Amino acid sequence: MAITRSDVEKVSLLARLQFSDSELDRLTGELAQIVEYVDHLSEVPTEGIEPMAHAVEVHNVFVSDEVMPSLPRDKALANAPRHNDRAFLVPPVLG
């Protein structure tokens, strides 16, 4: 599959990116190399190899939840730029 400059222009339009002519030329070459490499990978024999979700074996690294004492409110608010002794004060974001 060959990547053309018009392909790069279309993708940049969809992504709402603007490139100069020299950038479009450079990106066209770079993307063509990437697609060529992926095509090259498709030549690797994979018969008899089980599909994987990850390249390395993944183990659950989460610890079990345990009830622990929480941080006291005064310590939690100690470094807050603005607070009212009960909660963080933040600027309104909705009209």
Side-chain angles (χ1 to χ4, degrees), residues 2-94:
I3 297 291
T4 64
R5 182 184 169 112
S6 65
D7 293 331
V8 177
E9 289 172 343
K10 182 176 181 180
V11 170
S12 68
L13 177 68
L14 293 171
R16 292 183 165 83
L17 299 172
Q18 290 183 326
F19 296 112
S20 67
D21 286 340
S22 63
E23 289 173 321
L24 284 170
D25 292 336
R26 182 177 52 84
L27 288 170
T28 301
E30 290 176 359
L31 289 173
Q33 287 179 337
I34 292 169
V35 170
E36 181 181 325
Y37 182 73
V38 171
D39 283 343
H40 182 68
L41 288 176
S42 68
E43 298 172 8
V44 174
T46 57
E47 297 83 22
I49 297 178
E50 187 176 332
M52 302 170 53
H54 298 280
V56 295
E57 193 170 332
V58 178
H59 299 284
N60 186 355
V61 295
F62 297 113
V63 296
S64 58
D65 289 335
E66 296 178 17
V67 176
M68 298 174 59
S70 62
L71 189 63
R73 183 177 295 166
D74 59 335
K75 285 191 177 187
L77 297 172
N79 291 325
R82 294 181 59 220
H83 62 85
N84 64 1
D85 294 327
R86 292 180 31 238
F88 297 100
L89 295 177
V90 296
V93 293
L94 301 176

